[in-house]
Amino acid sequence: MKEYKLALSDEILMQVEKPARYIGNEVNSIVKTGDEKVKIRYAMCFPDVYEIGMSHLGMKILYDMLNRWEDVWCERVFSPWVDLDKIMREKNIPLFGLESQDPIKNFDFLGITIQYEMCYTNILQVLDLAGIPLRAKNRTWDDPIVMGGGPCTYNPEPIADFFDIFYIGEGETRHREILDLYLECKEQGLSREEFLRKAACIPGMYVPMFYQVEYHEDGTIKEFGPIYEELPKKIKKEMVLDVSNTYYPLKPVVPFIKVTQDRVVLEIQRGCIRGCRFCQAGQLYRPVREREVDVLKKYALEMLKNTGYEEISLSSLSSSDYSQLEELINFLIEEGKEKHTNISLPSLRIDAFSLDVMSKVQDVRKSSLTFAPEAGSQRLRNVINKGISEEQIIQGSSLAFQGGWSRVKLYFMLGLPTETEEDIRGIAQLCNKVAATFFDVVPKEERKNGPVQIVASTSFFIPKPFTPFQWAPMNTKEEFIEKAYLTRSAVMEQINQKRIKYNWHEADTSVIEGVLARGDRKLNNVIESLYQKGCIYDSWSEYFKNDLWLETLAEHGLTTEFYNTRQRSFEEILPWDFLDCGVTKEFLMREWKQAVGEVESPNCRQKCLGCGAARYGVGVCKEPKTGGQS
Amino acid sequence: MRIRIKFSKHGAVKFIGHLDIMRFFQKAIRRAQIDVAYSGGFSPHQIMSFAAPLGVGLCSNGEYLDIEVNSHQGREDMMSRLNEAMVEGIKIENIVALSDNAGNAMASVAAASYLVEWKLKAEKPQGLKESCHSFFAQKEIFVTKETKKSTMSVDLKPGIYAFEEKEEGIYLLVDASSSGNIKPALLLEAFFAYLNLPFNPNSIQITREDTFTRDKKGSLIPLDQAGENF
Ligand code: SF4
């Protein structure tokens, strides 16, 4: 029998679902056992199940970067699934890194990427299973430095007590500095607190324990600021200036089991020129920075070779806006023919070019078209600045129907600011028009794949920090459900209603997500208490315990009304105001006023709106503008 | 040209299931830049056939798969490229060329041999030699097989070709064809019941030693002996 080292016994691994989640050993995973150059052990965590975490690009980028450094060994760690979670608690098995299978507790750093609010209890699960005190203030040098990163750190306050450092912005820029500082402080025998105090002076680093908040009687913030003079009052996001010359994981880990994103992922650009007013990512990652197409071609070939994947997908917020898209896609199609690689296309704007590409890379009969108008009426689309018109949708689907497609997916949001019943009815009417278009342009004898099938989905709008809607009230659960019913009955009234299927997203999670998204420090106690009551995997509807969330909020004297449904004033100090994500508050206010005035704003290629991101001096801000509206 | 690959599987990778091993090899063959043949159609796939699936938790010294290649640079080259593309615990043991009329790996499987070892040597029961002998000497060995719909009683005896003590543990050679496959754990359960001993599957490690097909004369030969060196 061959010896091997695993943190879990055979008995446990035979008992749990998908043991491959816990054994590491995948192709391209990095093992530095016995390497004397390694001075820092870094655990990179995605607080959800393996298959989700392994699909995340940001984590792969940082894993690759950290492991390129000789003195660092970065490993991966994910949330154990509920079956193993239970066993680990019963048997007191500490959480371990996949590569070495060593306990996380003995690592120097635990970096947690925080991609969605509903994973907050899983963060506590990871800390707890690792044996790390949940609260930063209770930790010693025996515990790893717990760092948070990712989109949720643009309002880190609801989880501020659980982190030593939040890294605000793109992870490539300051990690080396932090690690060097750490080594230096350890060598000099400084205290953990002294290290953190120095770390808090590195740009982009937010050390919550050194910041204090005071509240007004009504629960809003009275004052917020650092407790030491040398610390910045405002923390500016970190950003990669040259995205073509930076780290990229050309040898990503290839999981044994099927994961959500089971293919090579090529990030073609960062940021988005569009400025949809509901979209947080569109603001956070400004300005748009494109990768050079030659660099991307090289990356694509190399990654396909190093992983053996048969599929590659392009990643960005809006791939249609990538200026070299045609060249890149044609290259990949040509390569793919020779080497049997498929391209999975991100949702492109539907036009002649994208339809042509789609017909080359997928089976038209089986694939569907996707439109994301987000709102049912032109009026409301102007409010949210979603630059897509009914005409474009009808024209796009007409072209597509003629090309043989017959399935269409349409995505909308309910509960957008200023929404009326008319706007909601517009959703059903738009779906009906798309269906009618099919019958208009496809003669009976050519309807080989059966008649048109339309799937309309609505999600509930959740206002997010650093968007023009950050001050806006969110709907209540009751309003949401009423709106979903209205949408459904409006769909039923359409002539083509039999061709339209309507789905809506659950309202309960949206309410809690809303609370967490714009929450403040008071929520730390709530989250910890929920975790102690057994909540984990809240992002999985089968484990989300809505009643418990509401009950626990109430126990702490907090309400969903305070966080969600009240209108915030421009004067209010928002919990995330101490962060500078690149765009200014003045810009967001301007955009809010434009929204209420139902006025669209041009995109970054047409005209600069002076959002504030130009001070980074890169990307689209430096391009000449074309003028005009979108 | 048709190629048969023999590989072994040990250590942590024993927890990777059969379907995932298939996916692993599809990618490994691409990483190794083997000029593998694809099927036609809208979504072409590598022409690939695996011999008997191996249960999760079992190790193996004799797993097989067949592929088809359009071109190659010799056996040595292919072995080393493939081994480069493996992970810790999976190793290419042999590669042979198959003649056109040789059956594919999946269809050819007739039997498999297994070695059963005790993880803690001290737990190996006393007097195994005799008990194996008398167990195997029975005329019939009935076990209850549970399927989704029903439980039925089947006689395993006709499919057991060897059941004997070895220094490391128990060696067994059993039917592994698609119609009569005997799972070693099921047989061991029957053996322990026969001995009136409790059966703890976690105290033993089962390793598939090899997978066999029948030659023209009907004798069992390892699957790679159905092919030739190239
Ligand atoms: S500064 Fe102007 S061009 Fe640059 S991201 Fe902002 S709006 Fe776009």
Side-chain angles (χ1 to χ4, degrees):
Chain A
M1 272 178 285
K2 223 180 126 173
E3 292 296 318
Y4 53 92
K5 183 188 165 193
L6 291 177
L8 302 171
S9 68
D10 282 15
E11 190 173 351
I12 293 173
L13 285 164
M14 288 304 286
Q15 201 179 323
V16 296
E17 199 185 298
K18 303 196 192 173
R21 285 167 175 163
Y22 312 111
I23 63 170
N25 200 37
E26 305 95 325
V27 170
N28 297 338
S29 61
I30 308 267
V31 176
K32 298 191 181 181
T33 314
D35 183 342
E36 277 164 20
K37 289 194 276 323
V38 172
K39 293 206 196 92
I40 292 180
R41 300 283 298 271
Y42 195 118
M44 184 67 74
C45 170
F46 192 112
D48 205 319
V49 73
Y50 178 92
E51 295 93 307
I52 306 264
M54 280 301 289
S55 305
H56 182 246
L57 178 63
M59 181 164 170
K60 293 182 201 175
I61 294 176
L62 296 183
Y63 178 82
D64 172 78
M65 175 187 82
L66 291 163
N67 278 318
R68 282 196 211 184
W69 297 334
E70 279 189 339
D71 58 344
V72 186
W73 183 9
C74 175
E75 306 188 26
R76 295 157 299 145
V77 60
F78 303 99
S79 280
W81 186 240
V82 288
D83 55 353
L84 180 61
D85 176 275
K86 190 160 165 265
I87 296 172
M88 290 175 81
R89 283 167 206 276
E90 276 165 17
K91 307 206 166 181
N92 269 318
I93 302 170
L95 187 64
F96 51 91
L98 288 186
E99 281 75 359
S100 67
Q101 301 273 316
D102 290 337
I104 297 294
K105 167 98 174 158
N106 304 339
F107 281 53
D108 299 287
F109 283 86
L110 171 59
I112 303 179
T113 173
I114 318 168
Q115 296 292 317
Y116 30 85
E117 292 82 2
M118 299 312 285
C119 76
Y120 289 174
T121 53
N122 276 50
I123 294 173
L124 299 188
Q125 175 211 22
V126 165
L127 293 172
D128 198 16
L129 288 178
I132 300 168
L134 299 185
R135 303 270 170 168
K137 62 173 198 285
N138 299 332
R139 293 179 196 142
T140 69
W141 266 139
D142 287 341
D143 302 298
I145 300 295
V146 180
M147 288 217 288
C152 290
T153 61
Y154 286 91
N155 177 21
E157 290 305 278
I159 44 174
D161 293 351
F162 312 128
F163 284 84
D164 297 310
I165 306 175
F166 285 106
Y167 183 126
I168 311 297
E170 295 170 348
E172 292 97 323
T173 56
R174 297 287 175 184
H175 259 99
R176 191 63 255 183
E177 231 168 292
I178 300 166
L179 302 187
D180 287 340
L181 178 68
Y182 174 84
L183 290 174
E184 212 182 286
C185 289
K186 280 240 150 165
E187 208 168 295
Q188 293 171 359
L190 298 189
S191 71
R192 195 175 195 268
E193 187 167 333
E194 281 165 310
F195 160 70
L196 289 173
R197 207 164 147 176
K198 285 172 188 279
C201 294
I202 297 179
M205 299 310 122
Y206 169 45
V207 179
M209 69 169 75
F210 300 145
Y211 289 76
Q212 240 171 13
V213 58
E214 273 175 58
Y215 300 97
H216 290 294
E217 210 136 276
D218 65 1
T220 57
I221 296 174
K222 189 167 162 207
E223 236 185 286
F224 183 99
I227 55 175
Y228 301 119
E229 223 160 64
E230 82 266 22
L231 303 184
K233 291 203 172 55
K234 235 183 183 187
I235 295 155
K236 188 174 151 209
K237 101 170 156 190
E238 277 300 303
M239 202 179 78
V240 176
L241 299 180
D242 181 356
V243 291
S244 296
N245 289 296
T246 180
Y247 302 94
Y248 202 76
L250 298 180
K251 284 182 98 181
V253 176
V254 186
F256 286 110
I257 54 175
K258 240 180 157 30
V259 296
T260 316
Q261 178 85 265
D262 209 14
R263 49 188 75 84
V264 165
V265 177
L266 195 59
E267 187 192 40
I268 57 179
Q269 60 188 355
R270 286 203 183 150
C272 180
I273 59 169
R274 299 263 148 199
C276 298
R277 295 185 181 122
F278 56 83
C279 176
Q280 189 188 34
Q283 305 296 347
L284 296 184
Y285 305 117
R286 279 178 172 232
V288 167
R289 292 146 290 154
E290 297 193 342
R291 282 208 162 96
E292 285 162 25
V293 70
D294 292 330
V295 170
L296 291 175
K297 288 179 187 172
K298 208 178 88 204
Y299 283 2
L301 297 185
E302 191 122 327
M303 291 169 80
L304 287 166
K305 192 178 114 216
N306 291 338
T307 58
Y309 271 122
E310 296 188 336
E311 195 176 340
I312 183 165
S313 109
L314 307 184
S315 150
S316 81
L317 291 169
S318 167
S319 299
S320 292
D321 294 324
Y322 177 61
S323 59
Q324 312 293 309
L325 187 68
E326 207 164 326
E327 183 177 342
L328 180 63
I329 288 189
N330 287 336
F331 171 82
L332 293 175
I333 291 178
E334 277 316 304
E335 278 295 315
K337 269 189 211 149
E338 239 171 77
K339 297 195 178 130
H340 298 281
T341 343
N342 301 319
I343 308 168
S344 85
L345 290 174
S347 33
L348 295 177
R349 206 175 316 127
I350 305 296
D351 55 20
F353 164 70
S354 62
L355 288 172
D356 178 52
V357 167
M358 281 159 67
S359 67
K360 284 181 193 151
V361 304
Q362 47 195 225
D363 189 343
V364 170
R365 283 166 307 157
K366 289 189 194 130
S367 63
S368 54
L369 298 175
T370 307
F371 293 99
E374 308 293 358
S377 70
Q378 193 55 49
R379 186 200 74 79
L380 194 52
R381 284 195 292 274
N382 288 350
V383 170
I384 63 175
N385 201 34
K386 182 85 202 183
I388 183 171
S389 66
E390 183 170 312
E391 206 187 328
Q392 285 168 322
I393 295 170
I394 299 300
Q395 257 172 18
S397 31
S398 162
L399 266 178
F401 294 146
Q402 286 162 19
W405 275 271
S406 57
R407 291 197 221 180
V408 184
K409 285 188 203 155
L410 291 146
Y411 291 101
F412 299 93
M413 274 189 274
L414 291 174
L416 289 162
T418 78
E419 182 184 57
T420 65
E421 229 183 277
E422 262 327 283
D423 300 316
I424 296 174
R425 289 187 191 284
I427 293 176
Q429 286 153 5
L430 184 58
C431 293
N432 190 57
K433 279 182 199 154
V434 173
T437 307
F438 177 86
F439 295 110
D440 284 349
V441 300
V442 187
K444 240 196 181 111
E445 37 324 329
E446 279 168 34
R447 295 175 195 162
K448 293 185 285 277
N449 306 322
V452 62
Q453 289 172 44
I454 292 175
V455 179
S457 306
T458 60
S459 62
F460 296 120
F461 168 67
I462 301 167
K464 294 274 164 112
F466 293 111
T467 66
F469 293 162
Q470 64 177 358
W471 297 276
M474 180 173 151
N475 282 168
T476 62
K477 178 184 165 185
E478 292 69 30
E479 286 167 322
F480 276 145
I481 291 175
E482 203 176 301
K483 288 180 176 184
Y485 284 152
L486 178 60
T487 314
R488 190 178 60 180
S489 62
V491 166
M492 305 279 266
E493 284 161 19
Q494 304 302 316
I495 301 182
N496 294 305
Q497 52 110 341
K498 285 224 172 80
R499 314 302 335 142
I500 308 168
K501 189 170 177 294
Y502 171 56
N503 301 321
W504 73 90
H505 191 266
E506 249 179 284
D508 289 340
T509 11
S510 304
V511 170
I512 299 302
E513 195 184 321
V515 168
L516 297 174
R518 290 190 294 171
D520 51 22
R521 278 204 188 178
K522 288 172 253 163
L523 290 167
N524 283 273
N525 292 337
V526 176
I527 294 166
E528 183 173 345
S529 154
L530 277 156
Y531 171 71
Q532 303 298 4
K533 292 179 188 177
C535 287
I536 47 170
Y537 284 104
D538 292 304
S539 62
W540 295 67
S541 55
E542 64 267 46
Y543 296 109
F544 174 66
K545 303 188 179 97
N546 188 51
D547 295 346
L548 213 53
W549 272 89
L550 296 177
E551 186 188 299
T552 310
L553 275 172
E555 276 167 21
H556 290 81
L558 302 173
T559 63
T560 56
E561 288 75 24
F562 175 77
Y563 293 109
N564 285 354
T565 50
R566 75 190 166 91
Q567 170 76 51
R568 287 155 168 84
S569 77
F570 281 165
E571 287 72 45
E572 180 176 338
I573 301 176
L574 303 172
W576 54 90
D577 272 352
F578 70 98
L579 296 177
D580 173 0
C581 84
V583 306
T584 60
K585 203 168 183 182
E586 293 68 40
F587 165 71
L588 297 175
M589 288 178 187
R590 276 205 309 276
E591 278 293 289
W592 167 252
K593 288 176 189 149
Q594 293 287 82
V596 178
E598 303 171 10
V599 184
E600 269 190 284
S601 290
N603 69 47
C604 293
R605 285 234 163 84
Q606 295 165 325
K607 191 172 168 235
C608 174
L609 295 174
C611 74
R615 63 200 140 114
Y616 289 93
V618 291
V620 72
C621 310
K622 295 201 337 195
E623 290 175 18
K625 308 296 168 190
T626 61
Q629 283 282 341
S630 51
Chain B
M1 178 167 118
R2 294 174 62 205
I3 303 282
R4 179 160 290 169
I5 300 168
K6 176 180 187 178
F7 68 96
S8 57
K9 188 184 175 197
H10 288 282
V13 289
K14 71 181 179 186
F15 294 105
I16 309 299
H18 180 64
L19 289 176
D20 293 325
I21 287 290
M22 289 170 72
R23 288 164 12 91
F24 167 80
F25 267 95
Q26 278 160 13
K27 295 196 196 83
I29 285 166
R30 288 171 66 90
R31 285 194 299 273
Q33 303 197 291
I34 305 290
D35 185 10
V36 63
Y38 277 76
S39 71
F42 201 92
S43 44
H45 52 269
Q46 292 177 23
I47 297 169
M48 188 180 265
S49 164
F50 270 79
L54 187 71
V56 173
L58 273 67
C59 296
S60 180
N61 289 314
E63 294 301 290
Y64 294 90
L65 74 147
D66 296 350
I67 58 170
E68 223 173 293
V69 297
N70 301 315
S71 68
H72 65 86
Q73 280 138 45
R75 178 175 173 276
E76 294 307 313
D77 172 76
M78 198 183 286
M79 281 273 278
S80 71
R81 279 160 183 264
L82 278 171
N83 267 323
E84 286 277 296
M86 294 295 115
V87 289
E88 167 95 39
I90 303 181
K91 188 167 165 260
I92 306 298
E93 301 287 349
N94 193 10
I95 300 185
V96 293
L98 291 178
S99 64
D100 286 343
N101 54 19
N104 73 30
M106 186 155 62
S108 323
V109 174
S113 57
Y114 299 91
L115 186 65
V116 182
E117 291 168 274
W118 274 262
K119 286 176 186 163
L120 299 172
K121 287 221 153 44
E123 285 185 8
K124 184 178 165 188
Q126 296 294 311
L128 255 192
K129 191 174 177 191
E130 294 72 37
S131 33
C132 283
H133 190 81
S134 64
F135 176 70
F136 189 46
Q138 297 173 96
K139 280 207 184 67
E140 44 198 32
I141 299 174
F142 273 97
V143 293
T144 41
K145 259 194 184 172
E146 279 179 52
T147 64
K148 276 192 194 104
K149 282 188 208 118
S150 64
T151 48
M152 53 177 187
S153 192
V154 279
D155 181 13
L156 295 183
K157 185 69 205 301
I160 308 173
Y161 311 132
F163 195 101
E164 62 202 38
E165 197 214 10
K166 283 259 161 101
E167 203 195 311
E168 305 90 337
I170 304 173
Y171 172 83
L172 35 131
L173 179 65
V174 293
D175 189 339
S177 68
S178 54
S179 55
N181 180 42
I182 293 179
K183 285 196 181 147
L186 187 71
L187 180 55
L188 288 170
E189 218 181 299
F191 177 60
F192 276 78
Y194 172 79
L195 296 183
N196 267 323
L197 285 175
F199 176 55
N200 173 9
N202 290 309
S203 65
I204 53 164
Q205 175 62 52
I206 305 176
T207 304
R208 184 186 271 162
E209 289 298 319
D210 214 335
T211 312
F212 300 86
T213 185
R214 288 196 190 274
D215 65 9
K216 286 194 200 91
K217 284 177 262 153
S219 344
L220 291 173
I221 53 163
L223 273 177
D224 53 343
Q225 281 181 29
E228 263 147 46
N229 237 321
F230 66 99

